[in-house]
Structure formats: structure tokens, C-alpha cells
Amino acid sequence: IGQAFPYTPIANPRYMVPDWSFGIRDDSMQKWVDEARAKGAQAVVVLSHNGMDVDLKMASRVTGIDAIFGGHTHDGVPRPVEVKNAKGVTLVTNAGSNGKFLGVMDFEVKGTRVVSYKYRLLPVFSNLLPADPGMEALIKKVRAPYEKKLNEKLAVSDDFLYRRGNF
């Protein structure tokens, strides 16, 4: 089940999403989860762009979701947060941003439900992956007119800089 960031029309120009309607809409999510379960789903996973805080709140209110794989806040979550709700537990996790990590979750399913899971947050060492030659050439061409400006030193730090405490 997909869930989009509920504040997109506020965070972006409205003309970009003129006919889109957003909201956290716990009741709509509950209907989708119930429908999936009624059709025989043994595991229900939500792919979310809500942000970690909204995902945690949704997990506490909507029952029947096994896991929420989220985004938007770019949090690298080393292990899922187990959120209790009225009928069980929902696992909530984020795998960082910009391809820095790959979140991998394996479920053990017995009968009609998930009975256990294994989660790993794997780092992606992009500097060890060979670049696609065609894409590398295109990027070089597009950047060329701006290279001097892009390489301008703006500041120097004597320590590591972190975004919101993410590792």
C-alpha cells in the first residue's frame, strides 16, 4: 500500500499538484489494510513518503500493517521501531536517503500472519560501484558551464557535519 507525504500541496507549489488531495487519513488506510487482509494478504507492507514521525503515529492508529518502509525525513534507521497498536505491532523503518543504504526485511509467515522478521540496514558504497559511461558523460556535459561555480569553496569545517543526528 502506498502513502504519500500529506503536506505536499503546502511544501510544493500548488500548480504542480492541482488536482491532488492529501491527508494522513487513518480511516482510508485502515480500509485498504482490511481489504488486503480480506483478499488473503498474509503480510501488509506500506511504502510511505510521510516521514518518520507521521509513520510512527499512523502505525499506532492503524491496525493490521506488518511494516512501514518510509521516507521523506531521510532517517537511516538501524533497526525497526516496534509500534504497538490496538491489535498488535507494526514495524516502522527508513533506509536513509540518496541511496546511502538499502533496507532489507525478511518475514517468516505462518498461516495468515507474520510471526518473525529479520532486518538489515546495508550501507551502499557508491564510490566502489563503476559509473555508467553514458550517464557520466552526460553529467559532465551538463555541469561543464557551471563547473567553476560548483567548485567554489563556500566554507570549511574542522569537524564532521551531521544532518539531524543521522549517522
Side-chain angles (χ1 to χ4, degrees):
I1 301 171
Q3 173 69 40
F5 178 56
Y7 305 107
T8 296
I10 297 167
N12 297 279
R14 186 65 178 163
Y15 75 86
M16 296 177 77
V17 289
D19 300 323
W20 293 12
S21 174
F22 293 88
I24 296 170
R25 300 187 180 149
D26 296 343
D27 54 341
S28 295
M29 180 60 72
Q30 189 64 66
K31 287 177 188 174
W32 284 104
V33 173
D34 293 347
E35 182 179 323
R37 293 284 183 190
K39 290 181 176 179
Q42 294 172 293
V44 174
V45 175
V46 172
L47 300 178
S48 162
H49 195 252
N50 286 334
M52 190 68 177
D53 291 338
V54 176
D55 286 341
L56 292 168
K57 183 56 89 173
M58 183 172 63
S60 74
R61 293 180 177 180
V62 179
T63 62
I65 300 172
D66 293 295
I68 299 174
F69 297 107
H72 184 70
T73 48
H74 302 184
D75 298 305
V77 179
R79 66 174 185 248
V81 177
E82 296 184 1
V83 179
K84 293 180 182 175
N85 56 50
K87 294 184 180 176
V89 173
T90 297
L91 307 167
V92 180
T93 188
N94 277 226
S97 67
N98 303 19
K100 292 179 195 136
F101 299 98
L102 177 65
V104 179
M105 188 175 293
D106 298 313
F107 292 119
E108 180 181 356
V109 178
K110 288 188 178 176
T112 60
R113 64 186 202 89
V114 173
V115 294
S116 67
Y117 71 93
K118 181 178 177 184
Y119 178 77
R120 294 169 310 285
L121 186 63
L122 305 175
V124 175
F125 299 103
S126 59
N127 58 329
L128 300 178
L129 300 172
D132 176 79
M135 183 54 71
E136 190 172 39
L138 176 61
I139 291 169
K140 189 174 183 174
K141 177 183 172 186
V142 170
R143 288 177 60 112
Y146 312 102
E147 200 68 33
K148 184 178 177 186
K149 189 71 170 170
L150 290 170
N151 287 320
E152 181 182 339
K153 188 181 287 187
L154 300 176
V156 177
S157 173
D158 293 330
D159 204 350
F160 290 112
L161 300 176
Y162 294 92
R163 181 180 184 268
R164 285 201 308 249
N166 292 349
F167 53 91

